[in-house]
Amino acid sequence: MKEKSENPQLAGRNDYSNQSLGWKLLYGERGWANLRAGGVFFLLVFASALPAIWFEHVPLLGIWHNIVFPLLLMVTIFVGWVFAARWKQETGGFDFKLIIVATFLVALVLIEFFLVPPWISPDSRVMCYLLVPLAAFFAALFAGAKYIQDIYALEDFSTALLYLISSQFGFAYPYLTIVDGEPLVETGRINRLMLIGGPGFLTVPPSDAALVYIHPNSSKVYSASTIFLPQFSKIVEIVNLQDHRVEIEKVDAYTKDGIKIAVRDIVLRFRIWSDPQTEMPTGDKRHHSKPYPYSPQAVRDSVFGLSAGDKDPDKPSTTWSKDWSETIKGMVKGKITEYITSHQLDQIITPDFQKGDPRRQIHDQLFTPEMENRLKSIGAKLLWCDIGHFEEDRQALEQHLETWSAKWTGSADVLRAAGEAYRIANQELGRAEAQAEMLTSIIRAFSDIDLSPENKNQNIRNVILMRTAQVLESLIDAKETSLQDQQHPDGVSDSSNQK
């Protein structure tokens, strides 16, 4: 929304210095509206008195007695009804302006009965000249009030009538006070500033800001002031400038390896964005002259920046804080979910703190420039965040442990099988080397013996028998050693048992 309208006619609608005298008389407010009320009164007097003087030749005292006094009496009673209706519908205390109206009414009656000469008596023929202008005035007034009731869907006709009288004649304006982000309206009462809009007076404390719709191309933000809202203006939203604290009960997400994790008891603290480059010497810092710093554009963004899905058109305007908070909570949930889905379970619940603490990493992601700009787009500034604690799904965690143990069991089996295969290979290699060694020794023995024809057979038989005995002896020793190792795996000798 733009602060100033691009249309010069609309831009100067509330700037009376740029308007003509005729425009001020027709559409001006407060003083101009009071002047307009006086003009309507004198118009009714002239519209009634001139025909009476022309046709009935009524003297001036007769005009007072038959036209001015009845008209003043009706106007006073009508004004008293207006203040009484406002007191009944809108205000909680007694309206002292009713005393002023009653005093004027008594004074008017005293003037009529004690100062006007008694020989001038009421004349019904003269009073008839008052009926036509008065009927036209009330017909236009009630038709306009009926139109207002219809376009604003008001339940009570008197509310529309009060609005029309206030906007046209400049009295009985409504008053609205903001307290802790809520309009101060008593139960069972209404306020025209909330239902219809200006004209009226609005009081905004320093802890709140009111976004006011001025005309189709402009809006203004008010805080720490009492201002007069002109016609065609309406309170769009009431924004609380204090720090907001909300809790997120749980955020569910799945890790990169498919394990469900819940992050519980998340706490956030945030407020309306304030621009550091402000005209105040303290910038966006708190100061006694500006206890709740804010940016007018941030107030607009907090209202107009919410998506359609974040708002419920059937909810009253005072649910802004809830809608705004839910949008911020949604952004924070998205960041937490994004972190969990990009990490495995072990990295979250059993982290390597040399690579970073998961809570700290999530916290840092919530305060990145990218996240800051996203929050700024809806007029929010995140001040502090407590990530809470992680809670794993027990059934999924048990399945994860089984999968993890199966992985390491399989790796152990593979290593064990590789060791066994290596052992068998070494045994076969040792056996082959023993056989080769035996053949080599037999060949060497043949070279040492006498192979003459008369001793050849006997010597070969002796060598074979000797080598065979040596092999058998070696096999017997190896078997006994193996049995001893099986019976005493700890390597302790059984000689003590034999003793």
Side-chain angles (χ1 to χ4, degrees):
M1 298 289 289
K2 297 180 180 180
E3 184 68 30
K4 295 184 179 180
S5 171
E6 297 178 355
N7 189 334
Q9 183 177 0
L10 293 176
R13 192 175 188 88
N14 299 308
D15 186 4
Y16 297 155
S17 62
N18 298 329
Q19 303 298 338
S20 63
L21 180 62
W23 188 95
K24 295 175 183 178
L25 289 174
L26 291 175
Y27 302 107
E29 298 178 272
R30 304 175 75 175
W32 292 104
N34 296 145
L35 184 62
R36 189 161 55 243
V40 171
F41 175 80
F42 285 108
L43 183 62
L44 290 175
V45 171
F46 288 144
S48 305
L50 289 179
I53 295 173
W54 180 266
F55 293 107
E56 303 295 337
H57 305 287
V58 182
L60 293 180
L61 286 177
I63 294 298
W64 163 265
H65 189 70
N66 295 284
I67 293 179
V68 178
F69 172 72
L71 185 59
L72 280 174
L73 192 64
M74 285 186 288
V75 169
T76 305
I77 295 173
F78 183 70
V79 171
W81 174 86
V82 171
F83 282 111
R86 188 186 70 166
W87 171 35
K88 180 181 178 181
Q89 292 185 3
E90 299 180 2
T91 63
F94 179 75
D95 196 339
F96 290 96
K97 293 181 180 179
L98 289 173
I99 298 178
I100 300 176
V101 174
T103 303
F104 182 80
L105 182 62
V106 172
L108 187 64
V109 173
L110 291 177
I111 291 173
E112 171 63 19
F113 285 99
F114 291 99
L115 297 182
V116 177
W119 61 81
I120 300 179
S121 60
D123 190 347
S124 59
R125 292 181 305 169
V126 177
M127 289 183 181
C128 289
Y129 289 98
L130 180 61
L131 296 179
V132 175
L134 202 60
F137 169 75
F138 278 105
L141 190 65
F142 280 86
K146 189 64 179 176
Y147 174 75
I148 292 174
Q149 182 188 16
D150 181 61
I151 61 173
Y152 287 104
L154 302 176
E155 297 181 359
D156 193 356
F157 175 78
S158 61
T159 303
L161 186 59
L162 283 174
Y163 171 78
L164 183 60
I165 293 171
S166 295
S167 60
Q168 291 301 313
F169 304 130
F171 67 95
Y173 284 129
Y175 293 82
L176 180 63
T177 302
I178 306 301
V179 177
D180 293 333
E182 299 287 341
L184 188 60
V185 180
E186 296 183 8
T187 304
R189 299 183 184 274
I190 62 173
N191 193 287
R192 282 171 280 157
L193 283 179
M194 295 298 298
L195 291 177
I196 303 175
F201 293 92
L202 175 65
T203 300
V204 187
S207 60
D208 298 299
L211 177 61
V212 179
Y213 169 93
I214 302 299
H215 48 70
N217 293 319
S218 178
S219 66
K220 290 185 178 180
V221 179
Y222 299 99
S223 180
S225 61
T226 297
I227 46 98
F228 177 80
L229 298 184
Q231 296 183 44
F232 312 110
S233 63
K234 185 173 177 60
I235 300 174
V236 178
E237 201 62 77
I238 300 168
V239 176
N240 193 320
L241 302 178
Q242 301 181 42
D243 292 352
H244 297 253
R245 184 182 183 277
V246 298
E247 296 183 3
I248 302 176
E249 181 179 357
K250 185 175 69 170
V251 177
D252 292 326
Y254 287 88
T255 62
K256 193 174 182 179
D257 46 358
I259 306 300
K260 184 178 180 181
I261 285 185
V263 186
R264 291 187 176 274
D265 302 329
I266 306 167
V267 182
L268 308 175
R269 189 161 62 88
F270 53 89
R271 64 176 173 89
I272 287 290
W273 174 273
S274 57
D275 191 357
Q277 306 298 327
T278 58
E279 297 179 359
M280 296 294 294
T282 57
D284 63 343
K285 305 296 184 182
R286 300 187 188 275
H287 193 262
H288 67 273
S289 61
K290 193 176 183 181
Y292 301 99
Y294 71 95
S295 166
Q297 185 59 42
V299 174
R300 294 185 180 91
D301 293 337
S302 69
V303 177
F304 302 125
L306 301 182
S307 62
D310 298 327
K311 298 181 180 179
D312 188 345
D314 297 330
K315 292 181 180 179
S317 174
T318 53
T319 60
W320 162 85
S321 179
K322 182 178 180 182
D323 296 334
W324 188 55
S325 299
E326 289 296 327
T327 304
I328 297 173
K329 287 164 64 175
M331 290 184 178
V332 173
K333 288 180 181 179
K335 272 296 180 182
I336 295 175
T337 302
E338 179 182 342
Y339 178 85
I340 293 176
T341 54
S342 61
H343 290 75
Q344 295 182 350
L345 180 66
D346 293 339
Q347 295 174 319
I348 297 175
I349 64 173
T350 56
D352 183 0
F353 289 100
Q354 294 180 352
K355 298 180 180 179
D357 179 11
R359 290 179 178 81
R360 184 64 184 176
Q361 290 177 348
I362 295 176
H363 180 276
D364 293 342
Q365 287 189 9
L366 294 177
F367 288 90
T368 58
E370 182 266 338
M371 186 63 177
E372 185 176 286
N373 290 331
R374 288 184 59 192
L375 291 171
K376 185 180 178 181
S377 67
I378 59 171
K381 183 175 184 178
L382 187 62
L383 303 176
W384 175 79
C385 177
D386 181 11
I387 303 303
H389 63 277
F390 297 105
E391 183 180 274
E392 307 84 13
D393 183 80
R394 183 57 54 186
Q395 183 177 2
L397 184 60
E398 292 177 356
Q399 181 63 40
H400 174 73
L401 292 175
E402 291 180 2
T403 305
W404 175 82
S405 61
K407 172 184 176 182
W408 288 105
T409 301
S411 299
D413 291 340
V414 170
L415 292 175
R416 191 180 297 109
E420 183 67 19
Y422 184 74
R423 184 184 67 82
I424 295 173
N426 286 336
Q427 287 180 350
E428 295 297 329
L429 180 61
R431 185 178 292 108
E433 289 179 352
Q435 292 176 355
E437 182 67 24
M438 183 181 65
L439 293 176
T440 302
S441 62
I442 292 174
I443 293 173
R444 289 176 180 174
F446 284 150
S447 62
D448 295 335
I449 63 175
D450 183 13
L451 295 178
S452 58
E454 61 276 6
N455 297 324
K456 178 179 180 180
N457 293 333
Q458 183 63 36
N459 290 336
I460 290 176
R461 184 181 302 108
N462 292 336
V463 170
I464 292 174
L465 290 176
M466 182 181 63
R467 294 302 179 188
T468 302
Q470 291 176 354
V471 170
L472 292 175
E473 184 178 358
S474 299
L475 291 176
I476 292 172
D477 292 341
K479 185 175 181 181
E480 290 179 353
T481 303
S482 177
L483 290 175
Q484 290 178 0
D485 292 340
Q486 292 179 1
Q487 293 176 0
H488 303 281
D490 53 355
V492 179
S493 176
D494 59 348
S495 60
S496 59
N497 295 331
Q498 293 176 359
K499 290 180 181 180

